[in-house]
Amino acid sequence: MTDPVWLPFAVPDHSEDEVDELVATLRSGWTTTGPRAVQFEKDFSAYTGANYSLAVNSCTAGLHVALAACGLGPGDEVITTPMTFCSSVNVIIQTGATPVLADIGADLNIDPKAIARAITPRTRAILPVHVAGLPCDMEAIWLLAANHNLKVIEDAAHAAGSYYADGEAVGKGKSDAVAFSFYATKNLSTGEGGMVTTGSAELEDRMRILLLHGISRDAWKRYSEKASWYYEVVECGFKYNMSDLTAAIGIHQLRRLNGMNARRAEIATRYTAAFASLDEVEVAPGYQHAGHSWHLYVLRLNLDRLTIDRARFFEEMRDRGIGCSVHFIPIPLHPYYQRTLTMHDPCTRALAEYPRLLSLPLYSKMSDESVERVIEAVQEIVAQYRCDAD
Ligand SMILES: *Cc1c(COP(=O)(O)O)cnc(C)c1O
């Protein structure tokens, strides 16, 4: 018996336009931040409807520069979710502020009621994460923020092409800043990269300065007429700018984003249709939600109806040649946060959901045959290991 052809968990979707633009950028002689980064920012603002877009070298960088530009620091508390990638929490710690976890709801996104319980006189900001690309209940979060005078910085790493309940694109809302990831597995991918949007001219200005060493553009403009080498450092900034090589890919990825997301939605719909009748699993939430970018398809195992655990389910998928993943190992389970964070909220739901989570392959380049292979594998494993199976 031969091994089945390996079906990876994620594969980026690049076109010849991107290859050509990348080569043209190399040949142009301008590879660092320049005309293509400017173009990508302009295009991203047009796509989302945001007033300002700032190209950065990762979502992590975008979140960090946004928190720093909001003036967060020691003594401040920032409320975020336990069900996220570590960088959402690390950037808070890196500003000197304290992350405060608030538990998730049934859709795996941060629960506004848990946020309300976590607010103290030191709370300065909320950092919600749109898990899998399904937008959080932003109306409730914006209301809390308005009532308590809090900043909102969205982690939209999964949510390029998602939109809020009111139909506006994620990136153009009432939040102070929204950070996107263009990491290799994300819906819009440049290998590494990110974008941060804001509606505020003041925040745009501060982020612009902070993301490139703290160098003031205005001073540069003022003096460059006299001396092209002159600049002024007005803050202790970071090195978070996006290169034109990255932007060359991004410009074309953005043009293809809606098409790629439509394919993701098609696959998600197929998964949900196939799994809805199985009592042993729970389908991903929000499959009818128009604003879902379907970055991930998170299947939840009903473990009390199965004789195997998630680790074994994962291995059974792997043995059938199918790559899966888990999103996420909750923040309270990592040793660093156990050592350093005080958990006021026990995050009961996040910890209870974690053992049941299994992310299935979902990407625009997946063929119908591959989608059917995943469905058959899940059906087969469920049939073999359901509690009443003999
Ligand atoms: C991928 C991811 C990030 C980090 O994105 P980078 O561009 O790699 O910095 C942050 N938050 C979440 C939820 C992610 O999935």
Side-chain angles (χ1 to χ4, degrees):
M1 216 176 83
T2 54
D3 284 343
V5 180
W6 181 248
L7 177 63
F9 172 68
V11 177
D13 183 346
H14 293 298
S15 67
E16 284 307 308
D17 283 354
E18 293 163 45
V19 174
D20 293 345
E21 188 83 35
L22 192 51
V23 171
T25 309
L26 280 169
R27 293 213 163 106
S28 78
W30 193 284
T31 50
T32 183
T33 309
R36 284 178 173 86
V38 171
Q39 177 73 43
F40 190 23
E41 289 179 344
K42 208 172 125 245
D43 293 352
F44 205 83
S45 292
Y47 179 83
T48 55
N51 290 351
Y52 306 99
S53 299
L54 297 90
V56 286
N57 55 21
S58 71
C59 177
T60 307
L63 290 170
H64 190 198
V65 81
L67 291 166
C70 286
L72 292 155
D76 299 333
E77 292 178 354
V78 180
I79 297 172
T80 191
T81 171
M83 192 58 82
T84 189
F85 186 57
C86 57
S87 80
S88 325
V89 177
N90 287 346
V91 290
I92 297 170
I93 298 169
Q94 282 155 4
T95 65
T98 304
V100 173
L101 301 180
D103 204 5
I104 57 170
D107 61 358
L108 304 177
N109 278 330
I110 193 165
D111 178 0
K113 290 191 294 295
I115 297 175
R117 286 195 296 271
I119 291 171
T120 76
R122 287 178 301 281
T123 306
R124 291 276 313 279
I126 307 170
L127 195 157
V129 180
H130 307 303
V131 176
L134 181 69
C136 295
D137 183 354
M138 290 309 299
E139 294 300 333
I141 292 172
W142 288 325
L143 190 65
L144 278 171
N147 290 343
H148 297 270
N149 192 25
L150 307 175
K151 304 283 186 194
V152 181
I153 294 108
E154 294 170 45
D155 179 338
H158 298 182
S162 296
Y163 34 98
Y164 307 113
D166 65 2
E168 295 285 7
V170 168
K172 190 212 184 207
K174 301 187 192 78
S175 296
D176 295 274
V178 182
F180 298 84
S181 174
F182 305 146
Y183 177 69
T185 60
K186 301 285 159 68
N187 293 38
L188 189 167
S189 170
T190 59
E192 299 283 355
M195 191 73 77
V196 53
T197 63
T198 181
S200 152
E202 194 187 320
L203 262 185
E204 194 261 345
D205 196 47
R206 276 191 62 73
M207 289 197 284
R208 204 50 91 182
I209 290 169
L210 284 171
L211 73 82
L212 197 61
H213 306 296
I215 292 173
S216 167
R217 244 186 336 170
D218 295 343
W220 187 81
K221 265 197 209 130
R222 203 161 52 241
Y223 289 96
S224 61
E225 282 118 45
K226 296 183 205 156
S228 60
W229 49 265
Y230 189 82
Y231 58 85
E232 281 175 6
V233 175
V234 295
E235 300 268 0
C236 180
F238 313 111
K239 169 67 180 176
Y240 285 164
N241 58 307
M242 176 185 282
S243 80
D244 263 23
L245 294 172
T246 302
I249 305 170
I251 288 166
H252 292 275
Q253 282 273 300
L254 183 61
R255 290 179 193 162
R256 298 174 51 234
L257 180 60
N258 286 349
M260 292 191 292
N261 281 358
R263 175 62 183 154
R264 284 176 178 269
E266 217 171 74
I267 297 168
T269 303
R270 181 75 194 96
Y271 280 162
T272 294
F275 303 141
S277 59
L278 298 177
D279 292 335
E280 293 76 15
V281 296
E282 186 181 330
V283 299
Y287 66 96
Q288 287 175 318
H289 198 291
H292 200 318
S293 70
W294 287 110
H295 172 56
L296 298 173
Y297 193 96
V298 180
L299 192 70
R300 281 184 266 186
L301 309 178
N302 290 331
L303 294 170
D304 56 343
R305 291 175 179 269
L306 289 163
T307 58
I308 55 172
D309 64 4
R310 188 259 317 275
R312 181 69 192 280
F313 205 110
F314 185 100
E315 282 164 24
E316 291 285 338
M317 293 294 280
R318 192 195 53 200
D319 292 348
R320 286 164 176 79
I322 298 169
C324 292
S325 191
V326 174
H327 299 85
F328 289 98
I329 303 163
I331 294 298
L333 296 182
H334 293 288
Y336 176 74
Y337 309 114
Q338 285 179 347
R339 275 204 318 274
T340 57
L341 290 193
T342 311
M343 309 287 175
H344 300 282
D345 183 329
C347 298
T348 315
R349 186 145 207 170
L351 296 174
E353 293 287 358
Y354 165 60
R356 334 168 39 208
L357 306 176
L358 185 74
S359 301
L360 300 178
L362 174 62
Y363 41 97
S364 48
K365 275 177 79 170
M366 246 179 119
S367 67
D368 288 340
E369 294 72 47
S370 297
V371 175
E372 293 312 312
R373 247 183 87 189
V374 173
I375 290 171
E376 278 164 31
V378 170
Q379 287 169 337
E380 204 177 282
I381 297 164
V382 162
Q384 194 173 344
Y385 297 105
R386 60 163 54 106
C387 277
D388 52 9
D390 38 37

